[in-house]
Amino acid sequence: MDLIDRLRDLATRVTKQLEYIQTEEATKNALVMPFLASLGYDVFNPLEVTPELNADIGLKKGEKVDYAILRDGKPVMLLECKHHNADLGKAHASQLYRYFSVTEARFGILTNGLSYWFYTDLEAPNKMDTKPFFEFNLLDIREQDVDELKKFTKATFDVAGIVTTASELKYTREIKRIMGEQLTNPSEEFIKFFATQVYSGRMTANMREQFGQTTRRALRNFINDQVNDRLKTALGTDTRITIEETPAAQAATDEPVTTAADKEATGVLTTMEELEAFYIVRSILRETIDAKRIVMRDKQSYCGILLDDNNRKPICRLWLNSATTKSLSLFDNQRKEEKVQIKDIDDIYKFAERLRATIAAYTNPKAEA
């Protein structure tokens, strides 16, 4: 079984166990130890995984690390564990910081059993950085994260190799965070950078406000264009979709469409996988009906695909954001919903006839009556 399969299996078990895990010690036993085992370490062999490793600091005795991963009898990774409800963003890594400086370990991990934050000493030798260079979330498993996590498995662990890529991971992550902030709320400096490239007049308060809106809109349009170009190349279609805006709903709809402002307020995010699935549905139905009549409307819990952007005419619903399962909702001619599990979005093709039957029910005058 590959690492990603082991992690998905663990994630499935974890979601069923969380309500019964009441203490930090239970978090270690039920979450952290199975995670280390999935990386290939024998958690019951003290020569590989040592719990409560002594890490005395000067005159301060009795300091212990929750877990240490050993190589040739020496610690190479240290783990500090919190309760699974702990917010790692607010949890202090001070203990891990102290332990790091008095051992030979090059990596420290702060975890609540669900999220794992990886630290090293990029900024100063033998001094743990204040920010992690890599984060892994067991309940939000992404293939690119698993590829990085593989470097920490027993079979492939290599200190030099990880440190070499750690710097790029850390600074790439920080740059992406900054870009995300600028996308939603551009700073004065960011706006000024673009404004001075295209406008030579006096930068008044009104012009700054105008360029702020223009910059935000231009950035989103740029991202939309990039996404659509990639999908066009991958799927061979000329149709386009705007991630940040949805066409106005028809009068017959029961609920309002999700606008750009709504998405900022509710946190709805359309993923590449949802977009690809949307185009799969369109490709199945384009010979049955004009593809432009098939519209995607994203929600927090699912992504809906409608005929004519009409909420009374659901074609299907995509449930793709779970870390463990993916599902597809289908509708019969009475609009009764049936939810089926799929392994990946390519499985949608298996339900092509069901999708065509749904369209037929909506376009048949007798079915509309």
Side-chain angles (χ1 to χ4, degrees):
M1 186 181 292
D2 195 27
L3 175 59
I4 193 168
D5 296 318
R6 295 198 297 271
L7 292 171
R8 285 172 175 165
D9 181 61
L10 175 59
T12 301
R13 299 201 310 271
V14 162
T15 54
K16 299 175 182 177
Q17 297 172 350
L18 282 182
E19 62 179 304
Y20 305 103
I21 302 174
Q22 303 294 329
T23 65
E24 185 175 295
E25 196 63 31
T27 298
K28 295 177 187 177
N29 293 335
L31 304 181
V32 179
M33 289 178 67
F35 175 78
L36 294 177
S38 71
L39 296 182
Y41 296 101
D42 184 353
V43 296
F44 301 109
N45 182 355
L47 298 179
E48 286 188 23
V49 182
T50 298
E52 301 294 316
L53 178 75
N54 285 321
D56 294 336
I57 304 170
L59 299 176
K60 193 171 183 179
K61 305 298 181 181
E63 291 285 286
K64 296 182 182 296
V65 184
D66 287 327
Y67 293 102
I69 307 296
L70 306 182
R71 274 290 178 93
D72 300 323
K74 298 179 180 179
V76 291
M77 283 193 289
L78 308 177
L79 285 87
E80 180 182 346
C81 306
K82 305 294 184 183
H83 187 273
H84 69 83
N85 281 331
D87 182 351
L88 295 189
K90 296 179 180 178
H92 295 291
S94 54
Q95 287 178 291
L96 187 60
Y97 184 90
R98 293 198 304 272
Y99 303 154
F100 192 94
S101 63
V102 296
T103 69
E104 298 180 45
R106 292 298 307 276
F107 304 104
I109 303 174
L110 178 64
T111 182
N112 59 8
L114 302 176
S115 294
Y116 292 80
W117 290 12
F118 291 74
Y119 297 81
T120 188
D121 55 354
L122 296 173
E123 297 173 5
N126 204 37
K127 183 178 179 181
M128 193 180 86
D129 300 335
T130 56
K131 294 183 179 180
F133 67 88
F134 173 57
E135 296 178 15
F136 177 78
N137 188 339
L138 185 62
L139 300 185
D140 184 19
I141 298 174
R142 304 177 183 181
E143 289 190 15
Q144 62 268 32
D145 292 340
V146 175
D147 288 340
E148 294 299 332
L149 193 60
K150 285 180 179 178
K151 299 174 184 177
F152 293 91
T153 61
K154 177 183 175 181
T156 61
F157 185 83
D158 175 60
V159 172
I162 299 174
V163 171
T164 299
T165 58
S167 178
E168 181 178 354
L169 278 175
K170 178 179 180 179
Y171 297 122
T172 297
R173 175 172 169 269
E174 286 299 298
I175 291 171
K176 287 171 64 178
R177 178 186 61 80
I178 294 170
M179 290 176 66
E181 292 175 353
Q182 296 300 329
L183 178 62
T184 56
N185 187 25
S187 66
E188 289 287 334
E189 295 78 7
F190 194 73
I191 294 170
K192 184 178 179 181
F193 171 79
F194 289 103
T196 54
Q197 307 295 315
V198 298
Y199 178 69
S200 57
R202 183 167 171 265
M203 187 59 64
T204 63
N206 287 337
M207 289 303 298
R208 278 197 297 271
E209 181 178 353
Q210 179 180 331
F211 268 107
Q213 297 173 357
T214 302
T215 301
R216 189 181 296 109
R217 189 179 305 112
L219 287 172
R220 289 174 177 166
N221 287 343
F222 175 78
I223 292 174
N224 282 328
D225 289 343
Q226 294 297 306
V227 170
N228 279 292
D229 286 344
R230 289 185 63 182
L231 286 173
K232 181 179 177 180
T233 300
L235 302 176
T237 177
D238 291 330
T239 54
R240 298 176 64 80
I241 185 167
T242 302
I243 298 175
E244 293 296 333
E245 297 182 357
T246 306
Q250 294 186 354
T253 59
D254 290 331
E255 55 191 78
V257 297
T258 305
T259 64
D262 292 332
K263 289 191 175 185
E264 289 183 3
T266 62
V268 175
L269 175 65
T270 302
T271 66
M272 284 291 294
E273 188 174 40
E274 287 171 333
L275 285 171
E276 291 182 20
F278 168 67
Y279 278 107
I280 287 175
V281 174
R282 266 194 168 182
S283 68
I284 291 171
L285 300 176
R286 65 187 311 122
E287 295 181 1
T288 304
I289 197 168
D290 185 353
K292 293 179 181 178
R293 296 179 62 185
I294 303 168
V295 176
M296 180 175 72
R297 193 191 301 180
D298 208 354
K299 303 291 182 182
Q300 276 192 316
S301 56
Y302 66 87
C303 181
I305 300 179
L306 311 173
L307 178 63
D308 298 328
D309 202 12
N310 188 335
N311 194 58
R312 291 197 182 100
K313 297 180 179 180
I315 299 172
C316 64
R317 288 175 179 169
L318 308 168
W319 309 80
L320 305 179
N321 294 328
S322 169
T324 56
T325 59
K326 301 181 189 299
S327 301
L328 173 71
S329 286
L330 301 165
F331 296 86
D332 62 17
N333 57 5
Q334 301 299 318
R335 297 177 179 81
K336 183 179 179 181
E337 181 178 0
E338 178 188 0
K339 200 171 183 180
V340 296
Q341 285 195 5
I342 57 176
K343 291 183 179 179
D344 54 52
I345 58 175
D346 285 338
D347 283 351
I348 295 173
Y349 286 108
K350 298 177 181 178
F351 302 95
E353 290 304 318
R354 294 279 301 275
L355 294 171
R356 294 188 185 104
T358 300
I359 291 295
Y362 294 146
T363 55
N364 186 330
K366 293 183 180 180
E368 291 282 340

